[in-house]
Amino acid sequence: MILIAPDKYRGTMSSIEATRIIADNIHSPSISLPMADGGEGTAHCIANAVGWEYVAKGCYFNPITRQMALDSSSIIGYGCFPDSMSPLDRSSAALGFSLNDIVSRFNPREIYLGVGGTATCDAGRGMLDALNPNIPWNSLIIGLIDVQAPLLPTYAGQLSALSFCPQKGFSVSDIEIIKETFARVIKRYGAPKSLFDGAGGGIGYALASVIGARCFLGAQWMLDRAVIPWNDITMIITGEGCYDRLSALGKAVYTLGRTAASHNIPCVCIAGKVDKYATSEFGMRLVDTSLYMPDCPLSPAVARQRLALATRGLAV
């Protein structure tokens, strides 16, 4: 029995789509478990597994249990800000206002908040300023975190919230300004004290260290709640859009690789692209789908074809 558990392929496929493509192109019995790590698609994965209602963009709700799942990325993620806006002007305030609104409209007893995939890097200052102070956010929000990294590096070369700034569009000079912003936020709200502070451009800091909300690595949280017959699993197939050195900070593929190793199960990661500087974790086999149809410009259709071809090439 093969466990199929990929993350999203950002910009081309959701984890649900990727799972279906992999399942359609293997010739062995399988179990499908679309994964997310707190980034884009986390709320959808949770809702897909338990049947919650779609109520707003990136937001799902169970009116019986009054549990809600919301992606930060749907509010302050890539594409949520004008292209002409400077990255330094992006604020997490919209997330705070959205949280106020959904509490007013739905009165949830728990909000599972996916933290990854944000385009902001303000240490959650905007969100903190926007949140209604009369709501007990520390007991209401459960943060599902995509990476385990500090807000600021404590030694040279350590991955932190700043490590994700280039992919968000920040320049080298912008990062120096962000450091100053972080210093002001820390002076106001207190020292970082959580392993998750660097997630979501510092949303992790706002949730864990300032508000005191419960936070978990999203991929492990999802895996722990899945019913999987581990004694029957002979292989795990996972994947993501780009496998690089940031993958080892708690991303879904890292979590699946570690879990596979703990059960002595072989694991394959089919990535949209494997960074040349990345190293395999836990003996996980890496498959780079960009080697298939290399002359074709990347698009959702091409990405789907590449994933299908790579899966067939596994001979399982």
Side-chain angles (χ1 to χ4, degrees), residues 9 22 235-243 253 267-275 280 283-292 306-316:
Y9 290 65
I22 295 171
M235 175 183 285
I236 294 177
I237 300 176
T238 185
E240 64 179 347
C242 180
Y243 182 92
V253 295
C267 183
V268 178
C269 172
I270 308 177
K273 181 177 179 58
V274 176
D275 185 85
S280 176
M284 183 166 56
R285 177 184 169 192
L286 302 178
V287 177
D288 188 338
T289 68
S290 68
L291 301 179
Y292 293 83
R306 287 175 173 175
L307 180 58
L309 291 170
T311 303
R312 292 172 201 162
L314 296 179
V316 294

Side-chain angles (χ1 to χ4, degrees), residues 189-256:
Y189 288 106
K193 53 193 176 187
S194 166
L195 296 172
F196 306 126
D197 286 326
I203 298 294
Y205 162 77
L207 291 177
S209 290
V210 180
I211 292 174
R214 293 162 290 168
C215 292
F216 306 92
L217 282 173
Q220 190 64 58
W221 183 88
M222 293 190 69
L223 193 59
D224 287 344
R225 282 153 183 78
V227 179
I228 300 170
W230 289 111
N231 290 336
D232 298 328
I233 302 299
T234 56
M235 175 183 285
I236 294 177
I237 300 176
T238 185
E240 64 179 347
C242 180
Y243 182 92
D244 57 23
R245 65 181 188 141
L246 301 178
S247 299
L249 295 179
K251 298 286 189 178
V253 295
Y254 177 88
T255 301
L256 268 299

Side-chain angles (χ1 to χ4, degrees), residues 72 76 91-93 95-96 113-116 118 120-128 145 151 161 182 196-211 215:
S72 296
I76 55 171
S91 168
S92 60
L95 178 58
L113 181 63
V115 170
T118 70
T120 60
C121 198
D122 65 353
R125 179 182 63 179
M127 182 190 76
L128 290 168
I145 311 294
L151 188 63
F182 282 4
F196 306 126
D197 286 326
I203 298 294
Y205 162 77
L207 291 177
S209 290
V210 180
I211 292 174
C215 292

